[in-house]
Amino acid sequence: EGTAMQDIPIIDTHLHLCNRDKFRYRWVESIPGLSKSYFLEDYNKATATLNIAGMIFMEYVADSWEQSVEEANWVYKLSKSDPRIKGIVARAPLQMGESCRGYLERLKVNPLIKGIRQVLQSEPLDFCLKPKFIEGIRLLSEYNWFGHICITHKHMPFVNKLIEQCPEVKFVLDHMGKPNIKDKVLKPWKTDLKALSRFPDTVCKISGMITEADHERWVRKDLKPYIDVAIVCFGFDRLMYGGDWPVCTLAGTYAEWTAALDWALKNFSNDDRKKLLHDNAIRLYRLD
């Protein structure tokens, strides 16, 4: 068994940190496994066996838009003590359209912002096609920020139409669009992912997988068909790795997730694995 994930420096493009003393996250209160603070030292313990060379912080859906701006500022301050924090994906109310600009301008003073995410997974399927939301997403091209898409597999045909209407915007699909791994369902997710991959400025994150699998009983071979589809659709130049910590801990440890991914990638070249785990994040998020 190769241990590529121990040898290759990793850029984790999907790290949540959560300071419950500073910010409120109502959504975690119904999830006993997540209802506490998660700090950098906890992450460092969880990733102790790996060479984490850099992280992109991913917003954690604070209770208000105001708190989300503050959250991004808090993480920027943290980056002063841990320079591995190389980027931030912040949250802003894109559905306000042009009126979202005030939030984007306030975030712009933070030099680590690389993208904006407004979680769509719990919204109606066609929410992303509302004219105001499209107007908000289009603003991102002015800032050269990625639009981050966090959805379930059911939303994918709608997101396809969204991307079609925003040719000037670069997109990142979080968690491969959350396929139904638990029930081992590949269709129509597979066809939808192929359709999304035809947009050259859209990239896909291999992350959040074990959380979509059976939390108690998943095994690594459950994940492999989905990873293979993502590789076929996007190729190794448009894939990035994410840990999705601490959400992943609902289904396993960080090390269990990386061991499963390592195994699924063992027949690919070291160059390809390095692109997925490190190089693409540096290039796409302009981290150097």
Side-chain angles (χ1 to χ4, degrees), residues 2 13 51 78 86 121 126 172 202 207 224:
T13 67
N51 177 7
L78 280 183
K86 295 180 186 300
Q121 65 184 27
D126 61 351
V172 177
T202 296
S207 57
K224 188 165 166 45

Side-chain angles (χ1 to χ4, degrees), residues 8-49:
I8 294 173
I10 294 169
I11 305 289
D12 183 346
T13 67
H14 209 99
L15 162 65
H16 301 292
L17 298 165
C18 166
N19 186 336
R20 300 282 303 273
D21 300 326
K22 275 187 186 291
F23 310 112
R24 297 205 45 186
Y25 302 91
R26 203 176 307 121
W27 68 273
V28 301
E29 281 152 26
S30 59
I31 307 172
L34 290 181
S35 56
K36 61 185 175 82
S37 289
Y38 290 91
F39 295 111
L40 265 175
E41 51 268 32
D42 303 311
Y43 177 75
N44 291 338
K45 274 184 208 130
T47 57
T49 58

